[in-house]
Amino acid sequence: MTQSLDTSHLWMPFTANRQFKARPRMLVAASGMYYTSDDGRQILDGTSGLWCVNAGHGHPRITAAIQQQAAQMDYAPLFQIGHPLAFEAASALAEIAPAGLNRVFFCNDGSEGVDTALKLALAYHRIRGDAGRTRLIGRERGYHGVGFGGIAVGGIAGNRKQFGPGLAADHLRHPLNIAKNAYSRGLPLHGAEMADELEQRLLALHDPSTVAAVIVEPLQGSTGVILPPQGYLEKIRAICDKHGILLIFDEVITGFGRLGTAFGADYFGVQPDMIVCAKALTNAAVPMGAVIVKQEIHDCFMQMAPADSIELFHGYTYSGHPLAAAAAIATLKVYKEEQLFQRAAELTPYFEEAAHSLRGLPHVKDIRNLGLVAGIELESIPGKPGARAYELFTKAFWDKDLLTRVTGDIVALSPPLIINKAQIDVMFGSIADILRAIK
């Protein structure tokens, strides 16, 4: 199939296009824990696609919900008109959100969700008469999508260096400290004090009265699985409370069971003012994102706008799209009825042991894990950063029928929550074999 396929017209995202097209890696079907490649191999999905297929591929209940809705009504807008499924999806999402976060704004992915949350934060302070709060704070190595707001608060330089200056933003240092916390099992013991720089450095530099919001991922996933030290997020929350700053959790990865709870906020016991979610909200079957907001933030918009006027000039053509709403409702039911969040929590100790079994193998520099997420950091080849992990990625795909994800020289694993122990063994056993073989 690949030999006859014209790959020239598609500009692929976040891909070395020339390298890929020299030897394409093609997937043509998916079911449960496996993709099917174009040469007929069953590829074990070690990454839930892109951190998003938590209930496994092709779940029949989700598929049926989408098919039924497509036949009934393919599209309806939410601008000044509605359709029932959007309201049902919002209610279902609010039901599993942390207490107090019960107002939902739908978008189409995490990037739009982040930009929405940042706009809400800026607008919230303005309508309250605090328009001087225009600065946003993210974190080094943070990934918040690819909108102009997201790359401003994001802390990955390569994602923004081609696009010029964006919003006024500054960045906390990331909390990864391999020297003190190498091979942590779960949350690192050292580093909670790094949260203090929010107050001691950034707020002292900029003046707290100019800061609208702080946005962090509870677990930094796309940059290579950076975990918050014990007590770190609690400190961030306390500092934000002290200075009237909104706290946004980007839970595009940690939402919907990845840590064994509905949201990372539940796992850490820290309540943000907004949660951005996407990916596994629909099991990735139809693109959808959402911002879940505290009711008092929502109510402020309702109370401050003139009667019968639009309270927020923001939205998307596909907000609450009927097919996406149907997929979200079905997905949330699957998570609940199949107890997939509990399953992830129960599998975590076994997953952790399997991940740390790689310690001591060639090239392994650090291993980090939380819930059903693991990051395996490799020593870089001098002068060739990322080459070693990329070699592992390609060998895993071609030689071991395993899909992994790499960022730099870090291998990130985040399998569907339906994975079993035998598949965990295969996944880490295959990686171990490759580590012993590569130079």
Side-chain angles (χ1 to χ4, degrees):
M1 176 180 175
T2 300
Q3 292 179 347
S4 62
L5 183 67
D6 183 357
T7 64
S8 63
H9 297 286
L10 178 62
W11 192 342
M12 299 172 67
F14 280 112
T15 298
N17 279 252
R18 293 162 295 174
Q19 183 184 56
F20 173 87
K21 292 175 183 180
R23 192 186 184 190
R25 295 172 292 274
M26 294 289 187
L27 306 173
V28 298
S31 179
M33 279 296 303
Y34 295 90
Y35 282 106
T36 302
S37 64
D38 65 342
D39 55 359
R41 294 176 297 121
Q42 294 294 290
I43 309 293
L44 180 64
D45 184 1
T47 63
S48 298
L50 276 176
W51 310 84
C52 49
V53 188
N54 286 8
H57 294 277
H59 196 289
R61 292 176 61 184
I62 301 170
T63 301
I66 297 168
Q67 291 172 331
Q68 179 180 347
Q69 183 56 41
Q72 179 177 333
M73 183 173 67
D74 56 351
Y75 174 75
L78 282 187
F79 291 17
Q80 301 287 6
I81 200 165
H83 63 91
L85 284 186
F87 296 91
E88 293 177 27
S91 295
L93 185 53
E95 184 178 344
I96 68 167
L101 279 80
N102 57 17
R103 297 295 183 265
V104 175
F105 194 102
F106 282 124
C107 51
N108 301 290
D109 58 24
S111 294
E112 288 185 357
V114 167
D115 279 11
T116 296
L118 298 178
K119 289 175 75 173
L120 287 174
L122 294 170
Y124 170 74
H125 290 298
R126 177 175 288 274
I127 64 175
R128 294 174 63 248
D130 205 358
R133 291 187 181 268
T134 58
R135 187 169 298 277
L136 304 163
I137 293 177
R139 193 160 52 175
E140 293 175 358
R141 291 181 65 172
Y143 179 71
H144 300 293
V146 294
F148 274 98
I151 63 173
V153 294
I156 301 176
N159 288 356
R160 62 171 184 263
K161 66 181 180 181
Q162 293 178 316
F163 311 117
L167 298 176
D170 209 334
H171 300 81
L172 282 161
R173 287 180 297 167
H174 65 76
L176 178 62
N177 187 335
I178 294 178
K180 288 187 176 181
N181 292 318
Y183 300 100
S184 293
R185 291 172 177 254
L187 299 182
L189 294 176
H190 306 286
E193 69 281 356
M194 294 186 71
D196 294 332
E197 92 160 353
L198 172 58
E199 186 169 45
Q200 296 172 359
R201 182 174 71 86
L202 296 183
L203 297 186
L205 174 65
H206 297 299
D207 184 337
S209 68
T210 69
V211 177
V214 172
I215 182 169
V216 297
E217 302 155 273
L219 174 157
Q220 292 178 256
S222 296
T223 194
V225 187
I226 297 178
L227 308 177
Q230 294 181 21
Y232 173 91
L233 292 174
E234 291 88 339
K235 283 196 168 195
I236 295 290
R237 174 73 274 182
I239 294 168
C240 288
D241 285 341
K242 178 180 177 181
H243 296 286
I245 298 167
L246 296 179
L247 177 60
I248 303 166
F249 273 7
D250 182 340
E251 296 227 31
V252 172
I253 284 176
T254 52
F256 309 108
R258 182 55 52 190
L259 305 184
T261 53
F263 293 97
D266 302 307
Y267 181 89
F268 292 104
V270 176
Q271 187 189 65
D273 300 295
M274 294 185 239
I275 288 176
V276 179
C277 60
K279 291 190 183 290
L281 170 57
T282 61
N283 203 44
V286 180
M288 191 179 213
V291 183
I292 316 172
V293 182
K294 278 186 174 179
Q295 183 173 338
E296 50 263 41
I297 294 175
H298 165 272
D299 289 352
C300 186
F301 283 87
M302 301 302 116
Q303 294 162 3
M304 299 300 291
D308 301 323
S309 68
I310 294 173
E311 298 92 2
L312 176 67
F313 286 84
H314 177 69
Y316 305 96
T317 298
Y318 301 116
S319 291
H321 190 285
L323 271 63
I329 293 167
T331 298
L332 296 177
K333 287 180 179 177
V334 166
Y335 290 148
K336 180 178 181 179
E337 294 173 12
E338 297 185 9
Q339 298 185 316
L340 292 186
F341 301 168
Q342 296 91 317
R343 177 183 175 80
E346 292 165 2
L347 276 174
T348 292
Y350 193 90
F351 186 82
E352 179 178 273
E353 288 298 325
H356 284 271
S357 72
L358 303 178
R359 183 173 182 173
L361 291 182
H363 318 302
V364 176
K365 178 180 180 180
D366 188 25
I367 297 168
R368 306 182 283 274
N369 71 280
L370 194 68
L372 292 190
V373 183
I376 304 146
E377 185 153 352
L378 307 180
E379 296 284 356
S380 296
I381 298 172
K384 296 181 179 180
R388 180 167 280 144
Y390 181 76
E391 183 180 3
L392 187 150
F393 165 74
T394 57
K395 284 184 176 296
F397 184 85
W398 293 116
D399 301 339
K400 293 294 186 178
D401 299 339
L402 171 66
L403 182 63
T404 62
R405 177 160 173 75
V406 296
T407 175
D409 273 308
I410 303 167
V411 181
L413 300 169
S414 57
L417 309 185
I418 63 169
I419 194 170
N420 61 38
K421 291 181 178 180
Q423 291 161 339
I424 292 173
D425 293 342
V426 168
M427 182 168 64
F428 286 104
S430 296
I431 292 172
D433 290 343
I434 297 169
L435 288 169
R436 294 187 186 101
I438 63 177
K439 294 182 180 180

